[in-house]
Amino acid sequence: MAIQYPDKIYVELTTRCNLRCPMCLKFAKGSCIDEGDMSLALFKKLAPSLAHTRFLVLNGIGEPLLHPDLEEIITIARAAMPPDGRIGFQSNGLLLHQRRSLQLVAAGLNTICLSLDNLNAQNADKPSQKGHQLFSVEKAIANLSEARKTANREVRIGIEVVLQKETLQQLPELVAWAHRHDVDYIIASHLFSYDGSMAEQSLFNPNSYEATQLFARWNTEALAQGVNLATMPTAQLKFSKSPADILVLDIGTAMHKEAREKDIALNFPALVAQSSRDMGAIEEQFLQARALAADRGIELFLPPLYAQANGHRSCPFIEEHAVFINKSGKVMPCHFLWHTCPGMVNQEQIHIEELVFGAIDEQPLEVIWQQAEYANFRAEAGLNDYAPCWSCTSAPCPDLVNANLLGANDCYGSHVPCGHCMWGIGWLKCL
């Protein structure tokens, strides 16, 4: 049965921010997101469409606390939504002083997720313009905790952390810190470098666990015989091959034969790039964090460390019946297609185009949601039957980086540009 209304609505109240986080899409090389706020009048046009909304998320690229009408917007939404509907947003917490916290809780805020880069307390007396700070988050949590006690309302306080190679060892400590500060949940997401400048800090392996293990086993065999599978592409190009070239090609052929027999997709360059990473050490940090969170009663949402096997994936936004609205009122289907911006697939630059299905200043949201074009998009995206670009040795192919005359977005002929989405393979996680 067709879903008549979205369950979850993301509304980008502002694209302005009071920080310059290095991993943010807004500050990636080639990004052209303009700054501005959604007007109160425009949000009021959305209000009648909130009657069936289970979760309203009031943020996008910017910092929601910079919006001058935030409290009034929450009050309007609370009156329009079902009694059990949730309202929340993510924030850096710099502007969450005591009075503001009381106002937000009184307006009807249900949850807030505060971003934190790491637990280092250096420069605690000097707010940085480059990233989230421990001191501001601790103050924000204290103010919110006091506000929910004063109002006698349930307001869930969360922490969002972007996992990075240099701060991974802090993950178990973060759980303990969260428990001491009365935090209810932690959402962890992998770092995705939109322009490639911070790619080496990402912990996510875009290969499947099965492919990673198979490659590691065969490369161990190759190293034991004095060759390295990483040299296979060079050996293939040689006209006159040495005994070492022939050996590495034979081992590579045996590896690919086993992969075909077991139906394991191999992206050879990506496997070589990931081969030096100690995934066991990362897994150990995850295990410690999970055990500690269970013991301390904190909900911990950790992302997968590997992509699913054979390019399988799932769209969290389709599954949650979500919709996205930018500051101008344009309606998009997902986080990935929310903004025109730079992106990467297998270390190659691509260009991501926003996908607009309507605008709330022209039509009610439910009318846009129910129109055939948008319904067909959700149906096709929900099948997850599009090209597995992150497992493909040819990606990014011309279908992803050029306009396609046939209207297709990948080599499968899909009409949804989802093959190169980072959310679908588990790389990124949102509130």
Side-chain angles (χ1 to χ4, degrees):
M1 184 178 68
I3 303 298
Q4 296 300 307
Y5 307 95
D7 286 335
K8 189 174 185 179
I9 301 177
Y10 290 81
V11 179
E12 184 175 65
L13 294 184
T14 183
T15 54
R16 297 182 296 123
C17 192
N18 47 359
L19 291 179
R20 288 185 63 89
C21 300
M23 75 283 289
C24 180
L25 165 61
K26 184 177 178 181
F27 304 111
K29 184 178 179 181
S31 182
C32 54
I33 297 173
D34 62 320
E35 294 196 340
D37 299 339
M38 175 179 284
S39 70
L40 180 60
L42 183 56
F43 184 83
K44 286 181 177 179
K45 289 189 175 183
L46 174 66
S49 301
L50 300 177
H52 302 274
T53 305
R54 296 183 181 277
F55 193 8
L56 177 65
V57 184
L58 295 172
N59 63 269
I61 291 296
E63 168 56 54
L65 291 172
L66 288 173
H67 197 285
D69 302 310
L70 179 58
E71 285 83 357
E72 186 171 355
I73 283 172
I74 293 175
T75 300
I76 292 170
R78 173 55 59 215
M81 291 173 62
D84 60 346
R86 292 185 295 150
I87 302 174
F89 59 83
Q90 292 168 274
S91 170
N92 57 46
L94 283 172
L95 300 177
L96 264 177
H97 48 70
Q98 192 173 38
R99 181 181 176 188
R100 194 80 190 273
S101 299
L102 286 167
Q103 291 172 337
L104 290 168
V105 171
L109 185 72
N110 291 111
T111 186
I112 186 167
C113 194
L114 300 167
S115 299
L116 184 62
D117 290 338
N118 59 67
L119 293 176
N120 295 330
Q122 71 272 23
N123 299 321
D125 58 335
K126 298 178 181 178
S128 169
Q129 293 302 304
K130 294 185 178 180
H132 309 110
Q133 291 290 304
L134 179 65
F135 83 101
S136 59
V137 173
E138 288 181 338
K139 287 182 178 179
I141 292 173
N143 290 334
L144 285 166
S145 296
E146 184 63 29
R148 66 182 176 183
K149 289 177 184 177
T150 300
N152 193 26
R153 290 188 177 181
E154 181 180 356
V155 179
R156 285 169 53 79
I157 301 173
I159 293 294
E160 182 200 29
V161 58
V162 177
L163 299 171
Q164 300 183 52
K165 181 179 179 181
E166 66 181 13
T167 58
L168 172 66
Q169 74 281 357
Q170 294 184 1
L171 184 58
E173 185 183 353
L174 174 67
V175 175
W177 172 90
H179 175 68
R180 293 195 301 271
H181 289 81
D182 294 326
V183 169
D184 300 300
Y185 64 92
I186 299 172
I187 297 176
S189 180
H190 289 297
L191 182 148
F192 181 83
S193 183
Y194 286 88
D195 59 7
S197 62
M198 297 185 67
E200 75 285 349
Q201 285 295 323
S202 177
L203 300 175
F204 184 71
N205 187 338
N207 305 289
S208 69
Y209 175 81
E210 294 82 357
T212 302
Q213 292 296 107
L214 186 144
F215 177 84
R217 179 161 48 80
W218 279 102
N219 197 38
T220 298
E221 173 67 21
L223 293 172
Q225 298 189 47
V227 294
N228 191 324
L229 276 179
T231 65
M232 189 170 66
T234 302
Q236 289 173 328
L237 296 174
K238 289 183 179 180
F239 179 78
S240 179
K241 295 178 173 55
S242 67
D245 295 330
I246 295 172
L247 177 59
V248 78
L249 290 174
D250 286 344
I251 294 173
T253 298
M255 177 185 69
H256 282 288
K257 181 175 182 292
E258 181 181 348
R260 287 193 299 272
E261 290 172 348
K262 295 182 177 179
D263 193 26
I264 298 175
L266 299 182
N267 183 318
F268 189 79
L271 286 164
V272 171
Q274 293 286 330
S275 61
S276 61
R277 176 165 294 175
D278 184 1
M279 298 301 289
I282 302 174
E283 291 169 353
E284 178 59 29
Q285 294 292 329
F286 272 39
L287 285 172
Q288 290 182 29
R290 285 194 178 100
L292 192 57
D295 180 66
R296 305 296 168 85
I298 293 177
E299 291 184 66
L300 176 61
F301 301 90
L302 288 178
L305 288 173
Y306 302 86
Q308 295 185 62
N310 296 336
H312 294 307
R313 66 250 120 162
S314 59
C315 176
F317 310 118
I318 294 295
E319 293 174 353
E320 294 175 345
H321 309 301
V323 68
F324 291 70
I325 303 171
N326 74 2
K327 64 179 178 60
S328 301
K330 294 180 180 178
V331 177
M332 286 80 161
C334 60
H335 213 303
F336 180 61
L337 303 173
W338 206 352
H339 294 283
T340 295
C341 60
M344 301 286 290
V345 175
N346 295 333
Q347 309 305 313
E348 295 290 340
Q349 196 76 44
I350 63 169
H351 185 72
I352 302 168
E353 289 282 349
E354 65 178 22
L355 182 60
V356 180
F357 285 104
I360 60 171
D361 60 346
E362 298 174 358
Q363 293 176 297
L365 178 61
E366 60 270 22
V367 173
I368 299 171
W369 174 267
Q370 294 168 13
Q371 68 183 3
E373 183 183 7
Y374 194 179
N376 291 338
F377 176 93
R378 296 195 302 274
E380 183 173 352
L383 295 174
N384 299 310
D385 188 23
Y386 39 81
C389 301
W390 287 96
S391 301
C392 176
T393 55
S394 299
C397 63
D399 287 320
L400 293 182
V401 296
N402 298 325
N404 190 301
L405 294 178
L406 299 178
N409 286 280
D410 59 36
C411 58
Y412 279 29
S414 299
H415 292 92
V416 295
C418 303
H420 49 311
C421 173
M422 302 80 72
W423 281 265
I425 61 174
W427 199 314
L428 297 178
K429 171 74 175 175
C430 299
L431 181 65

